[in-house]
Amino acid sequence: MIRFYKTPALIRKFYPSLTWRRISQDEIFLTFDDGPHPEITSWVLDELKRHNAKATFFCLGNNLRAHKDVAERLIFEGHLIANHSDNHLKGTGTKDREYVQSLLDCEEEIAQIQKHSKRLFRPPYGRIKKSQIKYINKAYEIIMWSHLSWDFDEKLAVEKSIRILKNASPGSIIVFHDNEKSTQNLKKLLPQLLDHWSSLNLKFSTL
């Protein structure tokens, strides 16, 4: 399997209405998908606090319902909750109406925890149909990524991932996962990368 740690320009060109990077002189944008999780998200928050780093958490509605205390800590510490659907549906295998309803169900959960929420959505698996994009883009900014850590891959070459991600530049949007499957790799990747980017005086901001 070919692993694209950095999103190819051809893919970005094919989906021009999606957000792949931000414009910034000194910020990178850390994102975490699939939480909140009681242990893993709490560990991530502790690591971010060490570097005064803020991040955007693309949460599942199911997990927000189950772990509201973690979500509330996330908001209290200055991070941003964004929409990752209610139950992690793959857009390419789901009818549009069901897909959009999953997004709306998640948004209801976010609204109970976070006031004045930005309308940001990340498609689970990064898979979404153009018909879904056309509808969702009316109300949401669809956030993709410039860099993918592949922390969910059990066969990940961690040092290779670290080496490539160290080259992230201002404006980069980087994906990690705060779920059980990714825990082992995440605990190797995140501390080293935070230390490296901090040494370059990069700021860590919410989207």
Side-chain angles (χ1 to χ4, degrees):
M1 178 179 63
I2 299 176
R3 296 181 181 87
F4 291 113
Y5 294 90
K6 188 174 181 179
T7 304
L10 182 62
I11 294 178
R12 299 197 305 270
K13 185 176 181 180
F14 194 69
Y15 293 98
S17 67
L18 309 186
T19 298
W20 301 93
R21 294 182 60 88
R22 284 279 195 245
I23 297 173
S24 178
Q25 297 296 318
D26 59 359
E27 299 167 299
I28 58 175
F29 302 91
L30 307 181
T31 66
F32 295 85
D33 288 5
D34 298 349
H37 184 281
E39 288 84 28
I40 301 158
T41 306
S42 297
W43 177 85
V44 169
L45 291 173
D46 290 342
E47 289 298 307
L48 295 176
K49 185 182 288 187
R50 288 197 307 112
H51 294 274
N52 194 29
K54 306 304 178 188
T56 303
F57 288 76
F58 285 90
C59 295
L60 297 173
N62 281 339
N63 286 338
L64 288 171
R65 277 188 289 274
H67 309 298
K68 285 190 176 181
D69 56 332
V70 183
E72 288 170 354
R73 177 188 170 189
L74 193 158
I75 295 301
F76 180 76
E77 295 186 2
H79 305 286
L80 179 69
I81 294 177
N83 196 316
H84 198 42
S85 83
D86 200 58
N87 51 353
H88 213 268
L89 295 177
K90 185 179 292 184
T92 50
T94 306
K95 293 181 179 180
D96 291 359
R97 180 174 294 181
E98 182 183 359
Y99 191 74
V100 171
Q101 187 60 54
S102 182
L103 178 154
L104 295 175
D105 290 345
C106 181
E107 196 64 38
E108 287 187 10
E109 295 301 321
I110 294 173
Q112 294 180 33
I113 301 167
Q114 178 175 261
K115 295 181 179 180
H116 311 299
S117 175
K118 287 186 178 181
R119 292 296 182 98
L120 306 179
F121 174 69
R122 173 170 285 156
Y125 308 99
R127 302 290 183 86
I128 187 169
K129 294 185 287 191
K130 289 202 169 182
S131 57
Q132 295 161 350
I133 291 173
K134 184 177 180 181
Y135 184 86
I136 293 170
N137 255 348
K138 294 177 182 178
Y140 289 80
E141 182 180 5
I142 300 177
I143 305 291
M144 301 300 277
W145 55 81
S146 61
H147 294 75
L148 179 62
S149 68
W150 289 90
D151 52 3
F152 55 87
D153 186 348
E154 294 178 354
K155 297 182 180 179
L156 177 67
V158 171
E159 292 306 318
K160 180 178 181 180
S161 180
I162 290 172
R163 185 172 68 252
I164 294 172
L165 293 177
K166 279 183 175 180
N167 292 322
S169 57
S172 295
I173 299 173
I174 302 163
V175 181
F176 300 97
H177 295 79
D178 51 335
N179 61 30
E180 291 185 7
K181 185 176 182 180
S182 306
T183 303
Q184 184 174 351
N185 287 329
L186 181 64
K187 288 189 173 183
K188 296 175 182 176
L189 291 167
L190 188 60
Q192 292 191 56
L193 289 167
L194 284 171
D195 287 343
H196 173 75
W197 291 322
S198 294
S199 74
L200 300 178
N201 293 318
L202 289 171
K203 299 177 182 177
F204 307 98
S205 302
T206 61
L207 288 165

